Amino acid sequence: MQLNAAVKGYPNHFAPIDLKDAGAQGWQVLQGDLSFPLAVLKTSALQHNLDWMQNFCKTRGLDIAPHGKTTMSPELYARQLAAGAWGISFANVFQAAMGARHGVRRIIIANQVLQSIDLDSLSDLLREHAGLQVYFLVDSMAQLRLIEAWRTLRKASTVFTVLLELGIEGKRTGCRDHQQALELAQAIRSSSAVQLAGIECYEGALATCNHEHDRSNVAALMARVQKIAAACEAENYFETDEVLITAGGSAIFDLVAEHLTPHLSRPVRGILRSGCYLTHDHVQYRQHLQCVGERLNLRETLRPALEVISVVQSCPEPGLAILSMGKRDVSYDLDMPVPEWRAQLGDARTRGVPAHWAVTALNDQHAYLRFDAQTPVDEHPVVGQLLGCGISHPCTTFDKWRWMPVVDDAYRVVDAVSVNF
């Protein structure tokens, strides 16, 4: 990727450079060397999170195929794979193709694939990339018939490798009961278009941070997974050398991890798909990981790595400051951004913000920072000041950027990643 004037956060008057050269430019964010607003990733937190999750999986005999839709960043996939990830998960064929073009060789599409144009693309992708393994989800006879009809119409020889999805009543996709799932597994076994490699589910919709509720509901879901896996093995419905059992969002993955390796006669590979662990956040996932820490008796879990930095551009009335970031720059679907630090342009370090500072609303390009105007002047924002905000839900901050600098703890740019939504 080239950084140039067409990329938000890159100054218009800078000469274009390759993304890979960003870390050699000597940029210092606190000196104002890049344009604001600016989303940045802190390298120390990224490395901590990579190490923490890899250790979590290793000590439990599990693998991870982190959900790539969180970041859509090949450079971050490379870090995850280098840290031991088994593969990368995606939400659709478009995303999977991007991963394959950038060297991902094991892919789980954690979704149904059924449109002819997507089956065309996936078949072509498998031909183009030697050694590429792709798994996608099947949850109905109707979907299976569409795949078979595509194969007949195209006179294709492709045999897709699939995972049987179990679902939760009232939630997303997936078979709702055991008999439906078993009948579908039998039909997959009889089909020449697909082969069954394992079982998938998604438990994230159950997360409440109520330990008793979450534990019992996850245990019930995973008992269904284990029951259907045993039944499929007994009927010889699996057609691969090892069986994949995969689940795990980013909220209650510790509870899923207890149930991912049922005892079957053939090898079983338990795979988590948590995606938000890499960058974490300052609100939603921080709350969930506090609950994980309580269940596992841990003092520390993950660290927030993603921040959006903006400038105080106006203080138009007492108690209100307007920031230079808005809905185009930062997530707001779950919670407002959280002020974390402030600095004057040129400062060597940041300092914390008063507890009464809060972002209360966003427009397209503006954020409303409310503060207590009765406090000492030193506790008031001032025009031109930098403000670093934590975010809630990394997925919907990444999709607003085409690149992000990676910074050290002093906000010196040491690397950069591309974003490909």
Side-chain angles (χ1 to χ4, degrees):
M1 175 184 177
Q2 187 183 71
L3 297 179
N4 56 40
V7 180
K8 180 172 66 173
Y10 191 77
N12 181 69
H13 63 285
F14 279 17
I17 65 166
D18 287 332
L19 180 80
K20 62 180 176 57
D21 295 326
Q25 302 305 306
W27 293 328
Q28 162 54 272
V29 173
L30 300 184
Q31 300 294 320
D33 291 338
L34 294 170
S35 300
F36 301 108
L38 186 69
V40 302
L41 297 169
K42 301 190 77 171
T43 189
S44 59
L46 290 176
Q47 191 59 53
H48 169 85
N49 295 344
L50 284 168
D51 294 342
W52 189 94
M53 184 58 84
Q54 191 58 32
N55 182 67
F56 177 91
C57 292
K58 184 177 180 180
T59 57
R60 290 162 176 79
L62 301 176
D63 285 287
I64 187 167
H67 216 314
K69 71 175 176 59
T70 299
T71 67
M72 287 298 286
S73 175
E75 294 80 14
L76 293 178
Y77 302 159
R79 290 187 183 218
Q80 291 170 306
L81 292 168
W86 175 86
I88 303 291
S89 297
F90 294 100
N92 52 46
V93 174
F94 161 74
Q95 293 177 4
M98 188 275 289
R101 289 195 301 272
H102 289 91
V104 180
R105 286 297 168 263
R106 295 193 189 101
I107 290 172
I108 296 174
I109 300 177
N111 212 341
Q112 282 64 37
V113 179
L114 51 88
Q115 297 180 72
S116 291
I117 195 70
D118 285 338
L119 295 167
D120 289 340
S121 294
L122 183 54
S123 180
D124 189 63
L125 200 66
L126 290 166
R127 283 195 300 271
E128 280 185 13
H129 299 279
L132 178 64
Q133 300 174 45
V134 179
Y135 307 78
F136 66 82
L137 310 186
V138 174
D139 75 341
S140 70
M141 292 289 190
Q143 179 194 359
L144 179 59
R145 298 305 175 226
L146 287 171
I147 297 169
E148 291 174 329
W150 169 86
R151 194 171 193 264
T152 299
L153 181 65
R154 294 291 193 268
K155 297 181 173 58
S157 59
T158 305
V159 178
F160 297 112
T161 305
V162 300
L163 304 172
L164 179 68
E165 182 178 28
L166 298 189
I168 303 168
E169 185 175 353
K171 304 299 180 183
R172 295 194 326 203
T173 51
C175 297
R176 286 339 197 216
D177 62 61
H178 180 83
Q179 190 58 37
Q180 176 194 11
L182 194 60
E183 290 173 0
L184 180 56
Q186 182 182 34
I188 292 171
R189 182 67 176 87
S190 301
S191 175
S192 59
V194 292
Q195 60 175 355
L196 185 61
I199 313 294
E200 184 274 352
C201 69
Y202 171 66
E203 80 300 332
L206 299 172
T208 65
C209 266
N210 179 305
H211 296 323
E212 182 177 352
H213 171 277
D214 292 353
R215 187 177 294 279
S216 63
N217 279 276
V218 168
L221 174 61
M222 298 310 294
R224 290 176 55 207
V225 170
Q226 294 182 350
K227 182 179 179 182
I228 194 65
C232 287
E233 182 182 58
E235 297 296 335
N236 196 34
Y237 291 159
F238 294 121
E239 298 180 72
T240 51
D241 292 337
E242 66 176 7
V243 175
L244 305 188
I245 305 294
T246 175
S250 299
I252 47 177
F253 57 86
D254 61 311
L255 299 177
V256 167
E258 300 173 9
H259 307 279
L260 274 180
T261 51
H263 296 294
L264 304 178
S265 61
R266 69 182 69 197
V268 176
R269 186 179 297 275
I271 303 175
L272 291 175
R273 298 195 311 277
S274 313
C276 295
Y277 80 91
L278 180 58
T279 64
H280 197 42
D281 73 11
H282 291 76
V283 188
Q284 284 288 321
Y285 288 111
R286 173 178 272 179
Q287 294 170 354
H288 285 301
L289 265 292
Q290 286 174 347
C291 294
V292 171
E294 290 171 8
R295 288 191 292 265
L296 299 179
N297 195 29
L298 299 174
R299 290 186 176 181
E300 184 180 37
T301 55
L302 302 173
R303 299 175 186 169
L306 175 56
E307 298 175 349
V308 177
I309 304 170
S310 63
V311 176
V312 177
Q313 66 181 67
S314 179
C315 296
E317 62 188 60
L320 175 64
I322 303 299
L323 310 180
S324 64
M325 69 175 183
K327 293 179 180 179
R328 306 292 185 181
D329 312 301
V330 67
S331 54
Y332 57 93
D333 53 316
L334 296 179
D335 304 279
M336 287 290 109
V338 180
E340 288 287 317
W341 57 261
R342 54 182 166 160
Q344 295 302 124
L345 201 64
D347 283 353
R349 60 180 61 87
T350 64
R351 57 180 177 143
V353 300
H356 54 87
W357 287 21
V359 174
T360 59
L362 298 173
N363 297 145
D364 277 4
Q365 310 289 172
H366 299 94
Y368 293 72
L369 177 70
R370 298 287 179 176
F371 62 95
D372 183 355
Q374 302 304 313
T375 56
V377 173
D378 184 57
E379 294 190 15
H380 296 189
V382 296
V383 172
Q385 192 171 46
L386 303 183
L387 184 65
C389 281
I391 57 96
S392 184
H393 198 189
C395 306
T396 49
T397 292
F398 271 97
D399 68 7
K400 303 177 191 314
W401 296 87
R402 291 177 57 196
W403 77 297
M404 292 184 184
V406 179
V407 300
D408 64 15
D409 289 343
Y411 291 88
R412 293 181 291 259
V413 176
V414 297
D415 201 357
V417 303
S418 63
V419 183
N420 295 265
F421 279 93

Coordinates of all heavy atoms in Angstrom, one line a residue, residues 115 158 176 217 236 243 250 279 292 310 316 387:
Q115 N -24.4 -18.2 -2.5 CA -24.7 -17.6 -3.7 C -23.7 -18.1 -4.8 O -22.5 -18.3 -4.6 CB -24.5 -16.0 -3.6 CG -25.4 -15.4 -2.6 CD -25.2 -13.9 -2.6 OE1 -25.5 -13.1 -3.5 NE2 -24.6 -13.4 -1.5
T158 N -15.1 -29.1 -8.0 CA -14.7 -28.6 -6.6 C -15.6 -29.3 -5.6 O -16.8 -29.4 -5.7 CB -14.9 -27.1 -6.5 OG1 -14.2 -26.4 -7.5 CG2 -14.5 -26.6 -5.1
R176 N -31.2 -25.6 14.8 CA -31.8 -25.3 16.1 C -31.9 -26.6 17.0 O -32.1 -26.5 18.2 CB -33.2 -24.7 16.0 CG -33.2 -23.2 15.6 CD -32.0 -22.4 15.8 NE -32.3 -21.0 15.8 CZ -31.5 -20.0 15.3 NH1 -30.3 -20.4 14.8 NH2 -31.8 -18.8 15.3
N217 N -25.2 -21.5 30.4 CA -25.7 -21.4 29.0 C -24.6 -21.9 28.0 O -24.9 -22.5 27.0 CB -26.1 -20.0 28.7 CG -27.5 -19.7 29.2 OD1 -28.5 -20.0 28.5 ND2 -27.6 -19.1 30.3
N236 N -20.2 -42.2 10.9 CA -19.1 -42.0 9.9 C -19.5 -40.9 8.9 O -19.2 -41.0 7.7 CB -18.9 -43.3 9.1 CG -17.5 -43.3 8.4 OD1 -16.6 -42.7 8.9 ND2 -17.5 -43.9 7.2
V243 N -11.1 -33.8 13.1 CA -12.4 -33.1 13.3 C -12.1 -31.8 13.9 O -11.4 -31.7 14.9 CB -13.4 -33.9 14.2 CG1 -14.6 -33.1 14.4 CG2 -13.7 -35.3 13.5
S250 N -15.1 -13.0 21.5 CA -14.1 -12.3 22.3 C -14.5 -11.9 23.7 O -13.8 -11.2 24.4 CB -13.7 -11.0 21.5 OG -13.2 -11.2 20.3
T279 N -6.5 -6.1 19.7 CA -6.4 -4.7 20.0 C -7.2 -4.4 21.3 O -7.0 -3.3 21.9 CB -7.0 -3.8 18.9 OG1 -8.4 -4.1 18.7 CG2 -6.2 -4.0 17.6
V292 N -13.7 -12.4 32.6 CA -12.8 -13.5 32.4 C -11.7 -13.6 33.5 O -11.4 -14.7 34.0 CB -12.1 -13.4 31.0 CG1 -11.0 -14.4 30.8 CG2 -13.2 -13.5 29.9
S310 N -7.5 13.2 18.6 CA -8.1 14.3 17.9 C -7.6 15.6 18.6 O -6.8 15.6 19.5 CB -9.6 14.3 18.0 OG -10.1 14.3 19.4
P316 N -16.7 26.6 22.6 CA -17.6 27.7 22.3 C -18.5 28.2 23.4 O -19.1 29.2 23.3 CB -18.5 27.0 21.2 CG -18.5 25.5 21.6 CD -17.1 25.3 22.1
L387 N -6.1 15.2 22.3 CA -6.9 14.4 23.2 C -6.9 12.9 22.7 O -7.3 12.7 21.6 CB -8.3 14.9 23.4 CG -9.2 14.1 24.4 CD1 -8.6 14.3 25.8 CD2 -10.6 14.6 24.3

